[in-house]
Amino acid sequence: MPSSVPANPEPAATPAQRIEAALADLDGAVTLDQLRRACRMRTQTLCDALAELVRAGRVVKSEAGYRLA
């Protein structure tokens, strides 16, 4: 009987991957609230992942908001 679940399911995206994907889809710098809504994740999870992305140089934080580096 065929299964409805793929044999090799895609791994769930990490919070950092979800943030980077959302920033790639959004134009320009976005606020924390805009990013939280786009990623649909808890504020604490978002802030933790954003801090790591900023430290790694993958995301830039400015007065206007966050954007990909």
Side-chain angles (χ1 to χ4, degrees):
M1 176 186 321
S3 173
S4 62
V5 177
N8 294 321
E10 283 291 315
T14 66
Q17 290 169 331
R18 290 170 55 194
I19 291 167
E20 287 181 303
L23 287 172
D25 288 343
L26 299 167
D27 289 328
V30 296
T31 65
L32 185 66
D33 191 53
Q34 289 171 316
L35 194 52
R36 187 187 60 75
R37 281 186 268 127
C39 293
R40 298 182 62 180
M41 66 176 67
R42 292 177 51 232
T43 303
Q44 186 63 53
T45 303
L46 177 66
C47 290
D48 291 346
L50 268 175
E52 183 57 38
L53 287 167
V54 169
R55 275 193 298 276
R58 298 184 59 82
V59 171
V60 176
K61 180 183 179 183
S62 68
E63 286 184 23
Y66 294 90
R67 64 174 174 78
L68 288 176

